[in-house]
Amino acid sequence: MNDYYAVLGVSRSASQEEIKKAYRRLARRLHPDVNPGLEAEEEFKRVSQAYDVLSDPQKRQAFDMGADPFASGGGAGFGDGQGFSFSDVMDAFFGGGAAGGARGPRSRVQRGQDALVRLDIDLAKAVFGSEEELVIDTAVGCGTCGGDGAQPGTGRQTCPICKGRGEVQQVQRSLLGQVMTSRPCVNCQGYGATLTDPCHECSGDGRVRTRRSLTLKVPAGVDTGTRIQLTGQGEVGPGNGPAGDVYVEVRVANHDTYTRRGDDLHATVELPMAAAALGTSFKLSTFDGMQDLDIRAGTQTGDVMTLRGLGVTHLRSGGRGDLHVHANVLTPTRLTEEQADLLRRLAELRGEERPEGRLQPNKGLFGKLRDAFKEK
Ligand SMILES: [Zn+2]
Ligand SMILES: [Zn+2]
């Protein structure tokens, strides 16, 4: 088993700073770009392995407890026979990520992007659910090249600039002396190969833009902001890669007479004064058709009549909310002389010609508000 502390020449209690310093000193001396030769290269690998383990608190702890991440032959990027890039060292010193995670040419095949589509529906569709035709601009695999990107009968050639590696290296001066950095190859866009004749249909992208329509089942109970995920219905990726998803974001339009609160519906019915006093019944237009509504005699403004189960369907459980009908008693205006006489006569009979202007005890709306504040 390797003793990484010995390789770096630090004690087992060395701080991260000391480990970093030791590695930096050794790397400066041993790096193949500075010190060519097989021996130095082997030594540099050992030093880098040791640093890889000891600079990572988790790996270091595992190693202290007797495990060795490199002992089984697996090794983070060292066992691939390609040697190693100086960016490994740069990563170690500068926090990593400088050259990007993956090495080697990038794949032409990538996952397609997700798309967000908005869908406007009216309240009735939210109550019961609906089926909608969606038209989306998207990309599908190219039929001419089958997603490969090459015009049929042609192929691709290894990029002469990066020799198929997809990245080119550059020598720069730095605190370590000469330092090699890599960046994606411009000639082949990092793919490592170029198309001898890009597909005439898709220009080598492997996919073509199109407009597609699909049928969406909108579940009952959706509300503004609800998102419906259509897995794999998005655009295919470059190189005919796996399709992304389509997210449909629902927006429910405001209704002229019904208001939604949660899964309950609220509406206000106008009651002529005499009807409210005497009681009546009528047919009310609801999302479930015409419904009988009884108004008991003496109904006041603000009284609520509840029709159970005529609200919005619960999105998950399937039951339904209620429909609440609020009464608004209308005081007659523009009375004819005869009507005014009748009302005066009524007031006389009820001894209400000269009301005292008595203040109402705190019940009603304001009383309830006050009680609600008290409870807090
Ligand atoms: Zn094509
Ligand atoms: Zn290239």
Side-chain angles (χ1 to χ4, degrees), residues 11-330:
S11 77
R12 295 187 78 84
S13 58
S15 68
Q16 285 300 309
E17 195 52 43
E18 289 174 79
I19 288 168
K20 193 167 169 178
K21 252 187 207 154
Y23 174 52
R24 195 186 282 225
R25 195 184 61 242
L26 289 165
R28 204 176 291 169
R29 185 155 56 86
L30 295 167
H31 191 273
D33 290 335
V34 183
N35 190 352
L38 208 61
E39 225 179 271
E41 188 176 319
E42 285 306 313
E43 179 70 15
F44 181 70
K45 276 192 198 183
R46 274 200 299 280
V47 166
S48 297
Q49 275 187 2
Y51 181 69
D52 186 2
V53 173
L54 297 185
S55 63
D56 179 329
Q58 263 180 334
K59 284 188 195 167
R60 183 179 179 183
Q61 194 185 17
F63 175 70
D64 286 342
M65 287 161 66
D68 185 349
F70 288 108
S72 56
F78 290 99
D80 54 12
Q82 288 185 25
F84 37 91
S85 140
F86 206 85
S87 52
D88 287 319
V89 185
M90 301 303 284
D91 287 358
F93 286 161
F94 302 122
R103 294 279 142 66
R106 64 192 183 107
S107 170
R108 277 182 194 274
V109 181
Q110 286 159 41
R111 184 179 181 273
Q113 290 193 334
D114 295 336
L116 181 64
V117 180
R118 281 182 216 291
L119 174 69
D120 288 304
I121 59 172
D122 58 36
L123 186 54
K125 287 176 172 174
V127 172
F128 296 116
S130 69
E131 256 185 24
E132 301 294 319
E133 280 300 302
L134 284 184
V135 178
I136 50 175
D137 287 311
T138 187
V140 296
C142 172
T144 302
C145 64
D148 177 62
Q151 180 69 10
T154 71
R156 55 192 81 218
Q157 60 186 24
T158 303
C159 173
I161 305 297
C162 64
K163 313 238 178 340
R165 284 194 307 269
E167 54 181 27
V168 287
Q169 302 197 311
Q170 231 177 357
V171 178
Q172 287 177 333
R173 295 206 149 273
S174 84
L175 76 162
L176 295 170
Q178 293 205 324
V179 168
M180 201 93 87
T181 56
S182 2
R183 52 181 174 74
C185 172
V186 175
N187 184 52
C188 62
Q189 285 105 51
Y191 294 127
T194 53
L195 299 160
T196 47
D197 186 11
C199 171
H200 302 176
E201 179 85 21
C202 66
S203 309
D205 191 37
R207 53 184 185 158
V208 286
R209 305 297 314 177
T210 187
R211 182 165 275 207
R212 198 156 63 86
S213 72
L214 51 92
T215 307
L216 170 69
K217 267 190 85 74
V218 179
V222 295
D223 204 348
T224 295
T226 304
R227 281 190 179 187
I228 303 165
Q229 183 180 8
L230 301 171
T231 307
Q233 297 283 356
E235 60 167 39
V236 305
N240 211 7
D245 301 335
V246 170
Y247 290 88
V248 180
E249 187 169 298
V250 175
R251 200 161 45 184
V252 181
N254 288 333
H255 192 270
D256 284 345
T257 50
Y258 284 100
T259 303
R260 175 177 181 174
R261 270 180 231 148
D263 286 339
D264 286 348
L265 293 173
H266 296 260
T268 301
V269 68
E270 297 178 336
L271 290 177
M273 183 187 72
L278 299 172
T280 184
S281 70
F282 49 82
K283 299 239 182 240
L284 184 75
S285 167
T286 74
F287 292 115
D288 294 80
M290 303 305 277
Q291 297 287 325
D292 288 317
L293 189 67
D294 289 321
I295 306 293
R296 60 173 181 78
T299 293
Q300 308 286 328
T301 289
D303 283 357
V304 178
M305 290 137 285
T306 297
L307 299 171
R308 301 252 168 248
L310 295 189
V312 181
T313 308
H314 301 312
L315 187 56
R316 284 180 185 83
S317 61
R320 290 180 66 183
D322 300 327
L323 169 56
H324 304 283
V325 182
H326 301 249
N328 183 25
V329 178
L330 299 179

Side-chain angles (χ1 to χ4, degrees), residues 361-363 365-376:
N362 271 324
K363 279 187 287 182
L365 177 64
F366 297 107
K368 272 181 204 148
L369 273 177
R370 191 199 53 185
D371 290 344
F373 284 123
K374 256 198 216 158
E375 273 161 29
K376 296 211 166 139

